[in-house]
Amino acid sequence: MDIYGIIGNPLGHSFSKQYFTEKFRKEGIVGAVYEKFQLDDISQLPDLIASTPGLQGLNVTIPYKQQVLPYLDRLDDGARKIGAVNCISFRDGKLTGHNTDAAGFRASLLGFLGNERPDALVLGTGGAAKAVNYVLGELGINFTIVSRTKAPGILTYGELDGDVMAAHRLIVNTTPLGTFPDVDASPAIPYDLLTPAHRLFDLVYNPEETAFMRQGAARGARTVNGFGMLTGQAEKAWEIWNGYSEP
Ligand code: NAP
C-alpha cells in the first residue's frame, strides 16, 4: 500500500486529505491512501517515518512548515530560498523538502494576470507571504510589503495613500483575515481608492468570495480567491511524489 499524508497540528479538517482521497477515487488509483498524521511535536517525525513503511510523500502544514527543516536531508531550490517546506518527498532514502505553495501561487497568478505584470502590494508577512514574494520576484513583478508593524522598506496600512494605491495595481492578501467564520473581516486597505484597473488576489479560499474580494469587485477590480493556488499546490506535490517533476 502506498501511503501519503499530511503532518500538522491541529488537523481537524484537511483539504489535502479530502482532495487526494477524491483524486484516488476519481482516477481509479488503487493501493494508495492519504492519512492525517497529527504530531504533538515535530520531533515525532523520524518515528512516524520509521513506523510507516510504504510512506511515499508528506504534506506539511501549520505549525511545522519551518520547524521541519532540520529533519530534512536536502531542500529544493525554491524551498531553500523561501525558507519553508509544505511537501516532503522520499527518494533514494533521502528526505527532500519542497514548497509547492509557490508553484500553486505562480500557476494561479499567471492565469489571473495573463500578460499583465503590475507592481504589487503584498499584505502580511507570514509563511504564505514568503512563498508569494519569492514567486513575484521570479516573475519580475516589483512588490512592496504591507504590515501592521513598521519596518524599513515596509509600508503600514496607514501609509496606503492615493499615490501608493495608484502605483500598485496588484494586491495580494496573504493575511488570514476574512476566513470563515470571520467572513466580514478584511485587511485595512483604502477600498475607496480601488479602480477597475486593480487586481485583487486573496489567498483565502473559504468563503469563495471574501470581504476583501467583494469590496474590490464593488469598485470594478478583478478578483480571484486562493482555491486555484490550493489545488495547484496539491497537484504539484503529486507530480513531485511520482517523479513527474524534478526536485
Ligand atoms: P500567518 O503566518 O498566521 O499570517 C500571515 C500574516 O498575516 C501575519 O504574518 C500578519 O502579518 C498578518 N496578519 C495576521 N493576523 C492579522 C490581523 N488580525 N490583521 C492584520 N494582519 C494580520 O499565516 P500564513 O501561514 O502566512 O497563511 C496566511 C493565509 O494564507 C491563511 O489564511 C492561509 O490559509 C492562507 N494560505 C492559503 C494557501 C492557498 O493555497 N490558497 C496556501 C498557504 C496559505 P503582519 O504581522 O506583518 O501584519
Side-chain angles (χ1 to χ4, degrees):
M1 179 66 75
D2 288 343
I3 299 174
Y4 301 88
I6 183 164
I7 58 168
N9 191 357
L11 283 178
H13 165 80
S14 162
F15 163 83
S16 299
K17 177 170 170 64
Q18 192 185 325
Y19 181 85
F20 282 109
T21 303
E22 184 63 12
K23 179 184 175 70
F24 297 160
R25 193 190 60 75
K26 274 199 313 226
E27 296 183 14
I29 298 168
V30 288
V33 289
Y34 192 99
E35 306 282 4
K36 291 192 285 186
F37 299 111
Q38 186 163 315
L39 302 182
D40 294 330
D41 193 279
I42 191 64
S43 61
Q44 296 171 338
L45 180 61
D47 280 350
L48 171 71
I49 293 170
S51 63
T52 315
L55 197 56
Q56 304 296 323
L58 283 173
N59 285 123
V60 182
T61 190
I62 291 168
Y64 299 134
K65 287 186 182 184
Q66 285 168 288
Q67 291 181 40
V68 75
L69 299 183
Y71 294 86
L72 305 175
D73 297 305
R74 57 192 178 197
L75 298 176
D76 75 9
D77 202 39
R80 188 170 51 254
K81 287 178 181 152
I82 295 164
V85 159
N86 75 325
C87 170
I88 302 172
S89 64
F90 304 87
R91 207 172 292 167
D92 313 325
K94 299 256 190 253
L95 274 65
T96 303
H98 314 265
N99 190 304
T100 66
D101 283 339
F105 177 67
R106 184 189 300 109
S108 185
L109 181 72
L110 289 175
F112 180 53
L113 289 182
N115 293 325
E116 298 178 3
R117 294 290 181 273
D119 286 1
L121 295 174
V122 178
L123 314 179
T125 57
K130 290 197 177 77
V132 164
N133 297 344
Y134 169 73
V135 170
L136 294 176
E138 264 192 336
L139 296 176
I141 294 180
N142 297 316
F143 63 92
T144 302
I145 297 167
V146 182
S147 169
R148 292 167 298 178
T149 310
K150 184 69 193 152
I154 289 183
L155 295 177
T156 58
Y157 290 90
E159 292 174 313
L160 302 180
D161 59 16
D163 289 345
V164 174
M165 295 302 285
H168 299 85
R169 290 195 298 100
L170 172 64
I171 306 179
V172 185
N173 176 37
T174 78
T175 81
L177 290 172
T179 305
F180 180 85
D182 295 321
V183 296
D184 292 329
S186 59
I189 63 167
Y191 290 94
D192 55 331
L193 296 177
L194 294 176
T195 67
H198 282 92
R199 307 284 176 256
L200 269 53
F201 192 121
D202 202 337
L203 265 59
V204 176
Y205 49 86
N206 179 22
E208 214 171 300
E209 185 181 55
T210 63
F212 170 72
M213 293 165 61
R214 193 167 61 245
Q215 293 171 91
R219 273 96 184 167
R222 281 211 291 122
T223 66
V224 69
N225 69 21
F227 191 71
M229 173 177 173
L230 193 65
T231 53
Q233 64 78 24
E235 277 308 309
K236 182 70 183 180
W238 184 247
E239 287 174 19
I240 290 170
W241 294 333
N242 289 281
Y244 310 143
S245 178
E246 275 310 301

